[in-house]
Each structure stands twice: as structure tokens, then as C-alpha cells.
Amino acid sequence: MPQPLINEDELEYWGEMFTAHNLHRYLPFQIFIRDPRRHWEDIMGRDYRPLLPAQMSVAERIDAACQGVENALAKVESGVKQLRQRNNGHYFEPLKHHQVAR
């Protein structure tokens, strides 16, 4: 179903709002103008703003680095799990009994 056309005054208004609030950082005008009220509410009507493209790439790099650290930590934790035992809420190291030849 084709979108209804908006009149020139509305186009002028939304164009000014788009440029005044630098919404080109979030999406192109061609997409914005298809449903300007919905996009306006999505971007401006909330307490937060979507990440800019540069911020998204930084967030992805940080997430990848954190995942690498978490994987390394999980590997170390699995290696020492048998060394660390817990009894009644306290960690302890079991005694190592050696048989002495008599």
C-alpha cells in the first residue's frame, strides 16, 4: 500500500526539524520522510538517543575485547576449579595424604 503524499508545508516543516536536530546522524532523510512522526518519536521522544555509526563500531570492538577477556577468565577458572573446594560456605584446599612406606 503506497504511503500518502504529504503537502509542501509538512515537507518543509519536517525538513527543517530533520536538519535542526541533525537527524541525518541517525538515518537518511529519504527514510525519515516516509514516516516522520514515528521516526521523530523513536529518536527524539525517549531519554536516550541511538548510537551513531562511529559509536556502534567502538561498542562492537569493546564487546569483542570483553568477550575475549571473559573467555580467558573462564579457561583459567575451569583450570583451578578442582583446586578450590567449598564446604559449608568456606573455601579450602584438601589435604594431600602421602602413604609412607614402612
Side-chain angles (χ1 to χ4, degrees):
M1 182 167 136
Q3 292 285 332
L5 297 175
I6 61 174
N7 62 32
E8 276 188 47
D9 293 335
E10 255 190 295
L11 181 64
E12 180 91 17
Y13 171 77
W14 286 115
E16 288 176 7
M17 296 301 283
F18 185 84
T19 55
H21 292 280
N22 294 319
L23 298 183
H24 66 276
R25 298 181 298 173
Y26 304 109
L27 71 163
F29 184 72
Q30 293 84 359
I31 295 173
F32 175 80
I33 201 62
R34 289 181 191 159
D35 193 358
R37 285 180 184 85
R38 182 177 65 84
H39 292 299
W40 178 262
E41 285 299 316
D42 285 348
I43 296 171
M44 301 300 289
R46 298 196 177 135
D47 292 338
Y48 65 92
R49 304 284 186 267
L51 294 177
L52 299 174
Q55 291 171 321
M56 282 188 234
S57 67
V58 170
E60 289 170 3
R61 288 189 309 218
I62 290 171
D63 289 342
C66 288
Q67 188 60 43
V69 169
E70 288 176 10
N71 290 342
L73 182 61
K75 186 177 179 182
V76 169
E77 288 280 332
S78 67
V80 298
K81 187 174 183 174
Q82 71 275 1
L83 300 175
R84 186 178 47 198
Q85 294 184 9
R86 189 170 148 180
N87 186 11
N88 201 17
H90 300 284
Y91 289 103
F92 69 95
E93 183 176 351
L95 296 174
K96 295 177 177 71
H97 297 287
H98 301 282
Q99 282 194 338
V100 180
R102 294 184 185 209

